[in-house]
Every structure is written in C-alpha cells, then in structure tokens.
Amino acid sequence: MAAGASQGPLYLGFDLSTQQLKAIVVASDLSIVAQTKVDFDADFGSKYGLTKGVIANDDEGEVYAPVALFLEAIDLVFARLKALGNGPDVLSRVRAISGSCQQHGSVYWGHGAAELLAGLQKPASSSSSSSSALKDRLADAFSRPWAPNWQDHSTQAECDEFDAKLATTAAKDDGPHRLAEATGSAAHHRFTGPQIMRIRRKWPDVYAKTTRISLVSSFTASVLLGSLAPMDISDVCGMDLWDIPRQQWSEPLLELTAGSADAAAGLRAKLGEVLIDGGGSMGSIASYFVEKYGVSRACQIAPFTGDNPATILALPLRPLDAIVSLGTSTTFLMVTPHYKPDPSYHFFNHPTTPGQYMFMLCYKNGGLAREKVRDTLPPVTGGSSGGDPWANFNKAVLDTPVLGVTDADRQAKLGLYFYINEIVPNIPAGTWRYTCDASDGSNLAPAAAAAHSPTTDAREIVESQALSMRLRSQPLVHDHVPGETVDANAPRLPAQPRRIYLVGGGSLNPAIAQVLGEVLGGAEGVYRLDVGGNACALGGAYKALWSVERRDEHETFDELIGKRWTPEGAIEKVDVGYQPEQFAQYGRVLGAFEQMEQTILAEEQAKRDANK
Ligand code: XUL
C-alpha cells in the first residue's frame, strides 16, 4: 500500500453521472485507497423503468431521471463503500467529500425541504421518521419528483427566446453571440435557464411551490450536508443565466426565465447565492451518514461541481493540453486564461482557479452513437475478439484507410451520425453521408450508396466526431505555448494541442485513440488516464483534498496537486499523436466538413420553418 494510504486523512470524490454513481477515495499523497459504484440500470433499472439511466418521453423530447433514484444511489454507494474490506476504516478517515455531477440537470425543492434536510443532521433517536432511507426521509422535500437530464431537448421555444433576448442589432441576429458573451454559451436545450422557463410555463403550480432549485451538484452536496447548498462557480455557467464577465446573475435573463421583471426576484431567491470560492468547507457531513455508515463526524463537505469541470481537475493540465472525455456524452476540454466565447462552444468559470476558464465542446452522440454503429457490424468470430465487445468496431476502424480514400476513387467519405438530436451543431437525429475530393475538399456532394458500408461507417463516425472537435477548437490551439520562448531554428508544427488526454469509458479503446491522434494531432502524443473511466470522481476527490489542505485561499489547486502528482501510474501514452501526413489529409477536408454541416443545418432549418 502506498505511503500515506494506511494512515492519515482520506478524501472522497463522487461522480453522479447519467448512468452511474461512482465513488473514489484518495489519500493525501493522491494514492487511491478505495473505489466502488452504483449502476442505475443494473441496480434500479426495472424499478424505475430506466434505459441507460434515464426515462425518455420522445413526443416532447423530454429526458429525465427520478430524484428518488439519486437518493437511493447515494445510500447504496455508502453501503458499498462500508462493505469493502477496508470500508469501515476508510469511511472513518474521510476528512472531506466533494464531487462531480451531470451538468445542467435541476432538482426542484418544495416547502418542507429545509426542515427535512435538517432532520438528517439530528441524531436518529430524535428523528420523527421511522425509515432510515434517504428516499423516504426526503420523500416530501420536492415540488417535482423528476430531474431533467442534459439529454433533454424539449426547450426549443425557450431557447429561441434566450437567443433573442440580448440581441442588439435591428436584424436581431446577434442574439446568440450576445448571449454567449454574457453567459459563456448560446442557448442550448439542456441548459438550466431554458429548462426552468419551460417548467414555469408548463407546470406553473410546480414552479410556484418550488422554494429552491438546485443543480445536480448542489443537490448532492445538500443531501450530504443536511441543508441547502449553494451552486458552485463553475457549474452555474451551465444555465444560460450567470453573467460571467460580471460574475453575477444576469438580470435580463432572470426576467425572461421568471416571466417578468417583478418575478425575477422570486427566481433569484429560488436559485440562491452562488459560491465564488471553489474550495473551503460548506459544513460538516450530516449525522445520518455518521450514524448509518460510520463516516467521521469531522468530515467536511466541499463545494461540488459539474462532471466536466471536475474532469479538468483529474490531473494538472498545462496550457495547450486538451482532454477528450469519452462517456455517454463526448466532450473536448481545455483550460485557458482567455475568455473568447462563441455560440458554437462553451466557456465556464474554472472550478477552482479565478481568472481561468474551461473551454468545452459537448456532443450528445458520443458513446451511444458509436455503440449503434458497432451493433450494425458482424461480430468478430473465432475467439479473436478476446471477449471485447468493441473488437469488431475496432477492426473496422483500423482496416479502413484515412477518410475511406482508396487509390481508385481518391474520394474522402464524410458523414454525420446522430442517433439523437445533436448539440453541435443543433441538428435533429439522422444519418448523412457525403463525399468530396480528398486533395482539397472540393466537389462536396451527397454520397452514392456504394461509397459507404457498415465498415467505413465505423471509421467515419470517429473521424466525424474528431473533425468537429478540430474545427471548433482552432481558435484555442497554437503552434507554440503562448508566453514560452520559441527556438527559432526548431521546426514549427502546425497549431494543435500539446497533449491529448483521454478519459471516460471509451478511453480504453485503442482504435479511437489512434483516430483522435491522427485527426487532432497532439504534439507530445495521446495519453490515457489510468483511472480513465473514473476521471470525474477522481477530480472530485482531488478537489476535496485541495479544499481542506490548501495553505490558504491563495494556494491554487494546480500548485497543491501539481506538487503531489506524478505521471507514473497515473497516465499511459497510448498513441503517438501528431503524424504530419494524416494531420494534413484531415486538414484538407476540414472546410468541406464545415460546409457539409452548414448544408444539413440549412436543410433542417428549412424543414422546421415549413412546419411552423
Ligand atoms: C455538458 C453536458 C454533458 C453532461 C454529462 O454540457 O451536458 O457532458 O455533463 O453528464
């Protein structure tokens, strides 16, 4: 066991994501001492009618999860931690808890919330509840039993109003830009402001009965604290309501969401204050967890954040390093001191470091879309799959040349594979296949049926996801690290990320790593985080550690974690990254890829207008 792991304080990080609640415990020296998880479908799927962790109402585009599921999962993850061989010792030594949660999801508390939560702080003997399950103790705490999930796309009408609200020109077409300048993002279906606005309109009684609205991150922290926790400075940027340049709620956007200027104050009260400091303690853990699971009474609850902000805390990131998170969603993340918002991507406050920002691209059609393509391929036979469900997909990816170009046709094959309505760009579900001239991207046209096959689809879906990331991250990458001295005689590489780190379930897939490296580059290579599937929970555990061990509020997360973090055992190089020939090949069709997206967007917009 690593030094520091057998004694001393421990730090617990949670990740309450779409399909699982994961927990990871680290020691002060960052060594991992315990991990466990709850899988929503496997543990509760039939009880709640879940598919991949959520319930979908396709007629309305709603995607949501029961709040009771989250509560049951919290109980179960503690029970599983306690049941581990070292569980009781670990739980008694946990000094702080933080974590990450699916972004944008919201929980609606009702009138009894504060009192019922406070009941968790009291000793069991004085509790009026006979049940010792969170789900029962907090059954009456909510004005709505469902939490919208980030895959929800029921809010187009509200998004149109958000996008129009801050427009300044006569043509009113600069609205998305203005909204992005103010809040870091244009309007998106899943963002919490449009979601709240729809709930107010559709269920006014629910809205009226709501006393507090939490993000999933502040909800989880509230349960652990036994009191309503504030939202954190990073996750609040996923709402289209927080004015990032001014670091305060946006008054016009509160008015829009609440329905009038008079109602804005009521909404502000429902949202509560936002915690500017990402560190420190919000209070001690509620007695419920001390008595039931043996967590130390001294354990502190640090601010929770979103899963993507927590991912950038899973290792000390340097300028120009990028993270690609291959989970249910696929996200591309970078840290930058420059606030350069644009409607096609997102800026968030950094979760721990004032003055730094997280740049993010988020694709809904990530892992599940790749799975759909995989399932159209015949399984690899003869035992050569080694039991890997991705063996057929990976073989197809690696057997297909770059962009599916053959000597005979010299045509690049491009496609969009959206099994659900996509975010970037905002295009409904569908599959589109195009070809263009591989030498310069000219002659873009819908593909003849014979140009593609299930085998070429496998490579194309990965290329397509990577080309979209390359296209949209161009403003952030450089051919050298800004501020660092450049050797004038050294050969200059084209602008690209320095290192690409892969995290999330898909990070275990070598074929995906290879294609990402070929398309995106990575001057120092492509790396996989060893706990890649658990990166957000790990980021949460490191955040808990920094929150209480920092010297004072001036010791930054990177300073503290950077001193203790070692690459050995934490990351593994999985691909060379930049390869000049392939990088150039993809560069030649990047314009055509953008043109294909624009063409499909225009066609879909025309269909929408025709149906109005
Ligand atoms: C980010 C987003 C997803 C969720 C996944 O904007 O919606 O990445 O955070 O849990």
Side-chain angles (χ1 to χ4, degrees), residues 219-521:
F219 155 82
T220 309
S222 302
V223 173
L224 296 174
L225 273 173
S227 66
L228 289 163
M231 293 178 192
D232 97 294
I233 191 63
S234 186
D235 216 13
V236 73
C237 303
M239 302 181 81
D240 273 334
L241 291 177
W242 185 255
D243 186 324
I244 295 182
R246 295 194 175 87
Q247 296 297 356
Q248 61 187 38
W249 293 113
S250 157
E251 207 52 47
L253 296 170
L254 286 186
E255 286 175 15
L256 174 70
T257 311
S260 70
D262 289 348
L267 176 57
R268 185 190 285 268
K270 290 183 207 283
L271 296 170
E273 293 299 319
V274 173
L275 202 56
I276 304 292
D277 184 1
S281 164
M282 299 191 295
S284 308
I285 193 161
S287 288
Y288 175 89
F289 301 96
V290 176
E291 293 178 11
K292 193 164 174 185
Y293 300 111
V295 183
S296 158
R297 202 166 279 287
C299 171
Q300 301 300 300
I301 307 302
F304 275 52
T305 190
D307 48 9
N308 292 297
T311 300
I312 61 172
L313 303 180
L315 76 169
L317 274 193
R318 298 163 312 162
L320 282 189
D321 288 342
I323 296 186
V324 178
S325 169
L326 300 160
T328 307
S329 61
T330 288
T331 60
F332 177 96
L333 310 166
M334 285 182 85
V335 172
T336 168
H338 306 293
Y339 184 65
K340 285 198 240 165
D342 183 272
S344 60
Y345 43 75
H346 309 289
F347 266 85
F348 282 68
N349 285 316
H350 190 283
T352 62
T353 315
Q356 296 283 326
Y357 302 93
M358 178 180 84
F359 165 91
M360 177 171 77
L361 293 165
C362 175
Y363 302 89
K364 270 194 204 171
N365 289 281
L368 299 183
R370 290 189 295 272
E371 231 170 273
K372 296 267 189 204
V373 171
R374 177 195 72 185
D375 294 344
T376 64
L377 290 163
V380 171
T381 49
S384 57
S385 76
D388 176 4
W390 288 90
N392 57 349
F393 183 89
N394 294 355
K395 180 168 178 344
V397 171
L398 300 176
D399 285 354
T400 305
V402 167
L403 292 161
V405 180
T406 62
D407 285 341
D409 67 7
R410 306 306 306 158
Q411 291 283 296
K413 281 95 191 167
L414 302 172
L416 292 184
Y417 299 81
F418 297 161
Y419 293 89
I420 48 175
N421 145 301
E422 185 46 82
I423 300 168
V424 261
N426 179 2
I427 291 182
T431 304
W432 295 265
R433 298 182 176 90
Y434 276 70
T435 52
C436 67
D437 203 323
S439 61
D440 59 2
S442 61
N443 297 319
L444 178 77
H452 301 251
S453 70
T455 314
T456 52
D457 278 346
R459 183 166 186 111
E460 274 169 50
I461 186 172
V462 184
E463 288 180 335
S464 165
Q465 295 177 343
L467 281 167
S468 177
M469 294 181 213
R470 176 159 162 189
L471 181 68
R472 295 183 166 86
S473 60
Q474 284 181 123
L476 246 62
V477 293
H478 304 275
D479 60 358
H480 65 285
V481 177
E484 274 184 16
T485 327
V486 179
D487 174 357
N489 299 320
R492 294 283 273 268
L493 302 184
Q496 61 187 293
R498 170 147 61 175
R499 281 186 181 191
I500 296 175
Y501 290 106
L502 304 182
V503 302
S507 64
L508 297 169
N509 188 318
I512 296 179
Q514 180 181 319
V515 175
L516 287 173
E518 286 173 347
V519 181
L520 292 171

